[in-house]
Amino acid sequence: MSIQRPNTMTQEHRVEEEEAKLEPSPLATEKLDAGASFVLKSKGSWLHCSYHLTTSIAGPPILSLPFAFAFLGWVAGVVCLTLGALVTFYSYNLISLVLEHHAKLGHRHLRFKDMAHDILGPIQFAVCYAAVVICTLLGGQSMKAIYLLSNPNGAMKLYEFVAILGVLMLVLAQIPSFHSLRHINLVSLLLSLAYSACATAGSIYVGSSSKASPKDYSIKGDPTDRLFGIFNALAIIATAFGSGIIPEIQATLAPPTKGKMFRGLCVCYVVITVTFFSVAIAGYWAFGNLADGTILGNLLIDGKPLVPIWFLFMTNVFTLLQVAIVGVVYLQPTNVVFERKFADPKKSEFSIRNVVPRLISRSFSVVVATILAAMFPFFGDISAVIGAFGIMPLDFVLPVVFYNVTFKPSKRSLIFWVNITIASVFSVVGVIGAVSSVRQVILDAKTYRLFANV
């Protein structure tokens, strides 16, 4: 008598299997696009997606949140940080639903520029490439801090450390695809937790010690400065929550993608809630309106550490490693553009024909980013400008607009008016934030100097 094998496939698996048959792979819709074929490989799970999401969001701007609080104060700071978390989680989920909807119709969008080429392509490219520059700069600053801890009288300049960090980025940039970064991005997730914990603990230690400056939580400046400072802070918070590569991350998921992005977002925002709020609250509590552009700067006075040297050394090592990984993640849209332009999708990804252009193009993009980071080492102001001009429209405004255009909810429905309100409010905030951030750059310009050793 034969024994029939039991059917262990669950109903959920059957549904996913049917959807997978209906949902085209990116290679089917982008047959001649080497950027999609070689960089955006759709092989990942929702857990891999959570690693990518966390790395793209929980990055260097975390360390500027106490600086943003200095312009807002306690109540407004906590409220704005909470709203930033809620709105971006909501917006990212909406854009994911829009992408899933188009995928079921046979049009799987893999990049922001696929959704609105003439508008979103340049904005996303600028945001992501600026993020690479900022990561290179912050990594160089962390490397310089490590150097000065071991050699306080060292003569090496910041731009030299930025160049060294650029070499590390040059190596990491050659990792072939976004999907290939999944395990590296898990390390990045752990590193973000580690250095956020260090920044929080260090702030509490200094704030509780006799070395702490008198705590002043008043907002400095005349009414005009305070008003512009508020919008400058909003731009910094927007940058902290910004991603700019949601479609590319969703493109790394193996079809069917239904529900996977939401699960990845849930894991990501657990990490974000822990890291963002702990660093912002502890940093502002410890240093008040004297919070530096990056909170690690407050852990030293005149080059002398206010915390144990080994602790500061460890914190900067964690930061250095994590920002290098974040920088590589934000290189992916640039890599897609270069692969699409110079690679031959009809040949193997690792053929000489494709490896040589990849090596040259990725090296070129890293070298340019390194030069820009060395030339303009002003982290706080740059974060505000990027947040106002790029992150605010890309991550706060357009997702809700796309949802309304795609699904056409009734004008009597709550979701329609919630989306309209979000789009309207953050459009205004973005415009004012852009003016404010540019004004701050102009005010600080007298302290700027190319290749400054800050």
Side-chain angles (χ1 to χ4, degrees):
M1 178 168 46
S2 62
I3 300 176
Q4 186 175 8
R5 184 177 179 181
N7 184 2
T8 58
M9 181 179 288
T10 64
Q11 182 64 29
E12 181 182 354
H13 290 158
R14 291 193 193 96
V15 172
E16 288 192 356
E17 188 177 79
E18 291 301 316
E19 289 180 346
K21 294 175 182 177
L22 295 174
E23 184 174 347
S25 71
L27 300 186
T29 57
E30 301 276 354
K31 288 181 180 178
L32 299 179
D33 185 348
S37 303
F38 298 159
V39 180
L40 302 176
K41 295 181 177 179
S42 301
K43 297 180 179 180
S45 68
W46 69 268
L47 201 55
H48 298 151
C49 169
S50 71
Y51 305 157
H52 298 320
L53 285 166
T54 305
T55 299
S56 72
I57 301 174
I62 294 176
L63 301 176
S64 288
L65 290 176
F67 179 67
F69 269 44
F71 292 107
L72 296 170
W74 274 118
V75 176
V78 172
V79 169
C80 289
L81 198 60
T82 303
L83 285 176
L86 293 175
V87 172
T88 52
F89 182 88
Y90 177 73
S91 296
Y92 294 154
N93 189 48
L94 290 191
I95 200 79
S96 174
L97 294 175
V98 171
L99 292 166
E100 286 180 5
H101 174 77
H102 286 287
K104 289 179 181 178
L105 297 178
H107 306 287
R108 189 173 183 191
H109 298 310
L110 306 178
R111 295 150 291 204
F112 259 125
K113 75 182 188 64
D114 294 336
M115 304 179 75
H117 181 277
D118 294 332
I119 299 173
L120 297 186
I123 293 176
Q124 185 204 25
F125 187 89
V127 167
C128 292
Y129 199 68
V132 177
V133 175
I134 287 179
C135 288
T136 309
L137 169 60
L138 189 59
Q141 290 175 335
S142 297
M143 194 174 291
K144 179 187 173 185
I146 293 169
Y147 168 74
L148 292 177
L149 288 173
S150 58
N151 186 10
N153 297 318
M156 291 183 69
K157 307 298 183 184
L158 175 61
Y159 61 82
E160 296 176 90
F161 295 103
V162 170
I164 295 171
L165 195 279
V167 173
L168 174 60
M169 295 273 290
L170 200 64
V171 174
L172 292 175
Q174 306 309 321
I175 295 173
S177 71
F178 203 163
H179 179 64
S180 302
L181 291 170
R182 61 194 182 282
H183 297 120
I184 293 177
N185 284 342
L186 170 59
V187 174
S188 173
L189 185 156
L190 298 175
L191 286 170
S192 67
L193 288 170
Y195 78 70
S196 297
C198 289
T200 301
S203 297
I204 294 173
Y205 176 85
V206 174
S208 303
S209 72
S210 58
K211 303 173 185 177
S213 302
K215 296 178 178 63
D216 184 358
Y217 303 115
S218 63
I219 300 174
K220 297 184 292 186
D222 57 37
T224 302
D225 289 336
R226 291 183 183 183
L227 179 62
F228 280 107
I230 290 172
F231 289 104
N232 193 38
L234 293 178
I236 292 173
I237 291 174
T239 303
F241 283 105
S243 174
I245 53 174
I246 296 297
E248 285 83 356
I249 291 174
Q250 187 152 334
T252 66
L253 287 169
T257 60
K258 185 178 180 180
K260 293 178 181 177
M261 197 70 170
F262 180 77
R263 279 178 268 176
L265 279 169
C266 288
V267 174
C268 171
Y269 270 77
V270 168
V271 176
I272 283 174
T273 301
V274 171
T275 56
F276 280 41
F277 282 85
S278 62
V279 171
I281 292 173
Y284 185 57
W285 170 81
F287 307 110
N289 57 23
L290 296 178
D292 207 345
T294 170
I295 198 62
L296 298 185
N298 287 109
L299 302 183
L300 299 106
I301 291 183
D302 299 326
K304 297 180 180 179
L306 300 177
V307 294
I309 291 180
W310 64 265
F311 181 87
L312 203 55
F313 183 90
M314 178 179 65
T315 304
N316 280 284
V317 169
F318 290 155
T319 306
L320 165 66
L321 295 175
Q322 204 259 352
V323 297
I325 297 172
V326 174
V328 174
V329 165
Y330 276 100
L331 270 177
Q332 299 310 306
T334 309
N335 293 344
V336 170
V337 172
F338 282 135
E339 295 277 326
R340 190 175 193 180
K341 182 74 174 176
F342 300 115
D344 184 352
K346 297 178 181 179
K347 295 186 180 296
S348 168
E349 177 184 0
F350 300 106
S351 65
I352 296 296
R353 165 64 182 82
N354 288 328
V355 168
V356 172
R358 181 182 306 128
L359 179 64
I360 294 172
S361 61
R362 294 188 182 188
S363 299
F364 173 77
S365 63
V366 171
V367 168
V368 172
T370 302
I371 292 172
L372 291 174
M375 289 177 66
F376 304 105
F378 310 106
F379 180 69
D381 288 351
I382 293 175
S383 292
V385 172
I386 293 171
F389 282 96
I391 296 295
M392 199 75 78
L394 204 62
D395 291 331
F396 288 78
V397 178
L398 292 173
V400 296
V401 173
F402 283 154
Y403 183 90
N404 279 4
V405 169
T406 300
F407 294 103
K408 297 179 175 59
S410 169
K411 292 183 179 180
R412 297 181 179 179
S413 65
L414 177 62
I415 192 170
F416 176 85
W417 288 108
V418 167
N419 290 349
I420 290 295
T421 301
I422 290 173
S424 302
V425 169
F426 284 97
S427 293
V428 173
V429 171
V431 170
I432 300 176
V435 174
S436 176
S437 59
V438 171
R439 175 181 177 273
Q440 191 64 42
V441 169
I442 294 172
L443 291 175
D444 293 342
K446 60 180 178 292
T447 65
Y448 291 172
R449 184 169 57 83
L450 295 181
F451 300 99
N453 186 35
V454 296

